Amino acid sequence: MSTSSVTVTGMTCDHCVSSVTEEISALPGVTAVNVDLATGTVVIDSTTDLDPGAVADAVEEAGYSVAG
């Protein structure tokens, strides 16, 4: 089990949270996605280490950006 986190910018509402959660959850090995809308922090639990590029692509597919 692996846990990683990213900061997502541009989220303003629950719909944003749902979109980001849906896209990241579709990545292979992801078991849980927890989004803190106030801080933009997204904590991802997965069965393997995730490729940061794949996570960033998923976030961008939802219409947002990974900070940093």
Side-chain angles (χ1 to χ4, degrees):
M1 196 65 133
S2 177
T3 300
S4 57
S5 65
V6 295
T7 301
V8 176
T9 59
M11 296 186 300
T12 59
C13 64
D14 287 339
H15 179 265
C16 302
V17 170
S18 295
S19 296
V20 169
T21 300
E22 180 180 340
E23 292 296 335
I24 293 175
S25 293
L27 294 173
V30 172
T31 57
V33 177
N34 295 299
V35 179
D36 183 333
L37 180 59
T39 64
T41 301
V42 180
V43 178
I44 308 160
D45 292 333
S46 59
T47 55
T48 60
D49 289 337
L50 296 175
D51 174 9
V55 173
D57 288 346
V59 169
E60 288 175 18
E61 182 69 26
Y64 307 95
S65 300
V66 173

